[in-house]
């Protein structure tokens, strides 16, 4: 999974945090024996280090995740019932009739944060179409999420999957993991790992789903 970290971000962030590349990459796998080593204080240190390095992350000129792409999904369809940062309940059937992008992420997941601007650009590009973006945070408090989004200057919907119950039910193993659902609520594509969400091929695929009735 070495492609998950661009060279400039990897070097700067690791030097600041004192962590090895092995530990960072393995902690993309929630609840693994490697991730169990991360105490709350360590997660806090990682979060603060990421905030300090965000300007470098978001201006890096290194190519982002060219190897990752939308992969046709053949597993069982899923659902969820979660609340957002304001306590409002959301269920998957609420959005039936629209194409939905569901993105699982966490504040300590560096690749999650690096792909977020392209996810927001995709949502902005398709805001007049029947397209919905829902990001599902797997571990952070509402306060930490709000702080991070403010620092990133991102206005995106976030649902709270605190115990990763939905993430595990959706067979998630690596963060970020994303799913693209058609208008009927059927999962059409999955992406394991980060990618550039507003590249031409991805935009064309999403628009094709939108055009299907």
């Amino acid at each position: 999974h070495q492609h998950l970290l661009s060279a400039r971000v990897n070097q700067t962030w690791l030097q600041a945090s004192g962590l090895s590349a092995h530990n960072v990459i393995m902690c993309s796998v929630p609840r693994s024996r490697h991730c169990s080593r991360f105490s709350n204080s360590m997660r806090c240190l990682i979060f603060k280090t990421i905030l300090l390095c965000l300007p470098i992350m978001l201006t890096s000129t290194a190519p982002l995740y060219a190897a990752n792409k939308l992969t046709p999904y053949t597993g069982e369809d899923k659902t969820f019932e979660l609340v957002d940062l304001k306590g409002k309940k959301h269920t998957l059937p609420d959005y039936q009739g629209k194409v939905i992008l569901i993105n699982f992420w966490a504040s300590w997941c560096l690749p999650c944060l690096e792909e977020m601007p392209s996810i927001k650009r995709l949502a902005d590009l398709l805001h007049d179409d029947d397209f919905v973006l829902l990001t599902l945070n797997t571990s952070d408090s509402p306060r930490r999420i709000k702080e991070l989004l403010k620092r990133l200057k991102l206005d995106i919907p976030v649902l709270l999957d605190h115990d990763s119950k939905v993430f595990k039910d959706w067979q998630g193993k690596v963060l970020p993991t994303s799913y693209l659902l058609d208008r009927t609520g059927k999962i059409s594509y999955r992406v394991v790992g980060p990618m550039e969400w507003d590249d031409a091929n991805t935009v064309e695929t999403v628009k094709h789903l939108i055009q299907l009735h």
Side-chain angles (χ1 to χ4, degrees):
H1 298 290
Q2 293 293 338
H3 64 281
L4 291 180
L5 298 175
S6 64
R8 287 180 61 191
V9 174
N10 182 41
Q11 181 180 8
T12 303
W13 186 68
L14 293 178
Q15 285 177 347
S17 63
L19 300 171
S20 69
H22 172 74
N23 282 342
V24 173
I25 293 169
M26 288 308 299
C27 271
S28 292
V29 185
R31 301 184 65 83
S32 72
R33 62 186 178 87
H34 298 269
C35 284
S36 65
R37 298 176 185 173
F38 281 74
S39 63
N40 289 335
S41 60
M42 179 60 74
R43 287 182 184 274
C44 185
L45 172 62
I46 293 172
F47 176 70
K48 290 179 179 179
T49 304
I50 287 174
L51 288 182
L52 290 173
C53 294
L54 281 177
I56 297 174
M57 290 165 53
L58 299 181
T59 57
S60 174
T61 58
L64 292 179
Y65 322 123
N68 290 337
K69 60 182 181 180
L70 293 169
T71 303
Y73 180 81
T74 58
E76 296 181 359
D77 289 317
K78 305 293 183 179
T79 190
F80 63 77
E81 180 177 314
L82 296 169
V83 298
D84 61 21
L85 293 174
K86 296 180 179 180
K88 180 181 178 181
K89 184 173 71 174
H90 297 255
T91 67
L92 194 55
D94 293 340
Y95 300 96
Q96 191 162 350
K98 299 180 181 293
V99 171
I100 309 167
L101 172 58
I102 294 177
N103 172 257
F104 289 94
W105 68 284
S107 69
W108 49 266
C109 168
L110 184 60
C112 298
L113 304 186
E114 197 169 356
E115 75 167 355
M116 273 190 175
S118 71
I119 292 177
K120 181 61 165 62
R121 291 194 298 268
L122 175 66
D124 289 345
L125 180 65
L126 301 175
H127 75 279
D128 289 332
D129 298 309
D130 288 332
F131 176 79
V132 174
L133 167 64
L134 297 174
T135 73
L136 277 62
N137 183 280
T138 62
S139 62
D140 297 296
S141 68
R143 181 192 61 80
R144 178 170 291 185
I145 294 170
K146 291 175 183 178
E147 180 182 354
L148 182 61
L149 294 182
K150 181 179 179 180
R151 187 68 179 266
L152 284 169
K153 297 181 180 180
L154 288 177
D155 181 16
I156 58 175
V158 179
L159 308 185
L160 304 175
D161 183 25
H162 284 315
D163 56 2
S164 299
K165 182 179 184 300
V166 174
F167 183 63
K168 288 179 284 188
D169 183 55
W170 285 52
Q171 306 301 310
K173 299 183 183 302
V174 173
L175 290 177
T177 292
S178 303
Y179 299 84
L180 191 61
L181 286 64
D182 67 16
R183 290 178 178 270
T184 69
K186 179 181 176 60
I187 303 174
S188 298
Y189 298 93
R190 179 174 64 178
V191 181
V192 178
M195 62 177 276
E196 281 283 7
W197 283 95
D198 60 338
D199 72 69
N201 290 334
T202 301
V203 172
E204 182 180 352
T205 299
V206 176
K207 285 185 173 180
H208 177 70
L209 284 180
I210 294 173
Q211 291 166 1
L212 294 177
H213 293 281

